[in-house]
Amino acid sequence: MLIEIQFCGVCHSDLHQIRDEWGGAIYPMVPGHEIVGKISKIGAAVKKFKVGDLAGVGCFVDSCRTCSSCAAGNEQYCENGMTGTYNSYEKDGKTIAQGGYSNTIVVDENYTLSISDKLPLSAVAPLLCAGITTYSPLMHWKVRAGQKVAIVGLGGLGHMGVKLAVSLGAEITVLSTSASKEKDALALGAHSFLVTTDKEAVKKARNRFDFVLDTVSGKHDLNLYLGMVKLDGAMVMVGLPPEALPVDAFSLIPKRKTLAGSMIGGIRETQEMLDYCAANNIVSDIELIAIKDIEAAYVRMVKGDVRYRFVIDMATL
Ligand code: NAP
Ligand code: ZN
């Protein structure tokens, strides 16, 4: 299907990859994996969509379709390697997949999401990565009402994590390095806010949370956050700092804590998340930018100054 891209979110992963912070970057690279637009052409075999439908594309555009992960709907964990939306080779092993900072993209219907026309399209775009990346672990670890949950880092992923966890009825604390974000955190629905440079506040929060979702993009002390996880609780990393972060065994063992990771979500779960957000009126808080302002957006992103997701208006390209 040929999709005319209307909006594309700006993920911190775009920045990690264009700057080759994770290694192995493939150039030329057109980033962007929070894509929404309208279908303008379809192939003869397309069944689920028609011309004129709204469509979304997230972080991958293909996978092997035969391994146990694909069969289970976990295409993001494909045993033969998924094809990323960009910075990835297509199945032919030589064509470089190119992403959403673009006017159009061609995607197989099986890797395309259906988008509701009830929500503002520009604010839906970030759900394709920031939304699913926070929704999936909240579901997998069964976060629910009555639990104490902390979201670490109030950026693109973090603010979606707050909205989604609030909607599940959990009691949310934002753990942030930016005291200036307290008002916003509470406006997003968080119940409390803790500045992680405040040693007293961190000490008071020892062994407090059932579940901690770590969305931090840079180097940080995992042990500080693990200290706030309670007996049998879990901390799940979704942030992907380029450097290895040391974990002290004493941060985990004395209270049987779990440290885990989670990567985006499969197609079925992404559709479930989009439908859930449409039903519950959940979208991203965005700052719409023109494509010419992308470098300035990256500079602000590195400073932690994203309120709370940049989205590119593709009409400006
Ligand atoms: P973002 O909008 O830049 O937000 C990251 C936030 O983390 C910042 O706003 C800041 O919040 C906090 N932070 C940044 N550097 C920090 C540091 N050194 N120490 C402590 N806190 C720090 O980024 P994003 O788009 O949400 O992405 C976050 C991370 O998730 C990136 O590494 C990205 O590559 C990764 N990611 C992973 C997946 C996945 O599937 N697992 C999917 C998408 C993105 P405060 O100001 O509140 O401290
Ligand atoms: Zn992303």
Side-chain angles (χ1 to χ4, degrees), residues 11-13 16 22 129 133 153-157 176-178 181 215-220 225 238-241 262-264 301 304 306 309:
C11 180
H12 205 117
S13 300
H16 288 312
W22 294 333
C129 173
T133 301
L154 197 63
L157 266 56
S176 173
T177 59
S178 311
K181 292 182 182 172
T215 77
V216 173
S217 52
K219 198 171 172 194
H220 60 297
Y225 301 97
V238 289
L240 280 159
S262 180
M263 187 168 76
I264 43 178
M301 182 179 258
V306 179
R309 195 61 141 186

Side-chain angles (χ1 to χ4, degrees), residues 10-180:
V10 179
C11 180
H12 205 117
S13 300
D14 299 346
L15 187 53
H16 288 312
Q17 291 177 96
I18 59 166
R19 294 189 176 170
D20 196 14
E21 292 174 353
W22 294 333
I26 308 165
Y27 304 108
M29 187 193 298
V30 178
H33 57 209
E34 293 184 336
I35 301 166
V36 290
K38 205 170 247 184
I39 298 170
S40 60
K41 273 187 191 163
I42 57 171
V46 170
K47 290 195 180 69
K48 300 176 202 159
F49 295 85
K50 56 181 193 315
V51 169
D53 284 353
L54 293 176
V57 181
C59 298
F60 56 92
V61 290
D62 208 350
S63 63
C64 85
R65 311 181 189 207
T66 53
C67 73
S68 58
S69 294
C70 286
N74 290 316
E75 300 90 347
Q76 76 278 31
Y77 303 123
C78 174
E79 280 153 36
N80 299 301
M82 62 167 184
T83 305
T85 302
Y86 69 89
N87 194 22
S88 184
Y89 289 103
E90 302 274 4
K91 273 191 189 153
D92 66 6
K94 42 180 205 272
T95 310
I96 305 172
Q98 301 291 3
Y101 297 9
S102 175
N103 300 107
T104 58
I105 189 166
V106 176
V107 186
D108 186 301
E109 65 171 337
N110 295 306
Y111 293 80
T112 304
L113 288 309
S114 175
I115 303 287
S116 159
D117 58 7
K118 303 220 162 46
L119 299 172
L121 200 56
S122 53
V124 168
L127 300 181
L128 275 306
C129 173
I132 185 59
T133 301
T134 48
Y135 179 85
S136 186
L138 291 172
M139 291 298 121
H140 188 79
W141 274 269
K142 300 184 168 55
V143 167
R144 55 196 173 272
Q147 287 190 319
K148 290 187 166 59
V149 170
I151 306 289
V152 189
L154 197 63
L157 266 56
H159 94 291
M160 286 313 307
V162 171
K163 289 189 184 206
L164 290 165
V166 165
S167 79
L168 296 169
E171 186 189 312
I172 312 301
T173 302
V174 169
L175 308 180
S176 173
T177 59
S178 311
S180 62

Side-chain angles (χ1 to χ4, degrees), residues 3-10 29-32 35-36 98-105 288-295 298 311-317:
I3 301 169
E4 305 285 331
I5 301 174
Q6 293 175 4
F7 300 101
C8 185
V10 179
M29 187 193 298
V30 178
I35 301 166
V36 290
Q98 301 291 3
Y101 297 9
S102 175
N103 300 107
T104 58
I105 189 166
L288 197 62
I289 60 166
I291 189 78
K292 69 173 174 48
D293 296 324
I294 186 65
E295 282 298 330
Y298 285 147
V311 172
I312 305 166
D313 179 354
M314 278 310 154
T316 63
L317 181 60

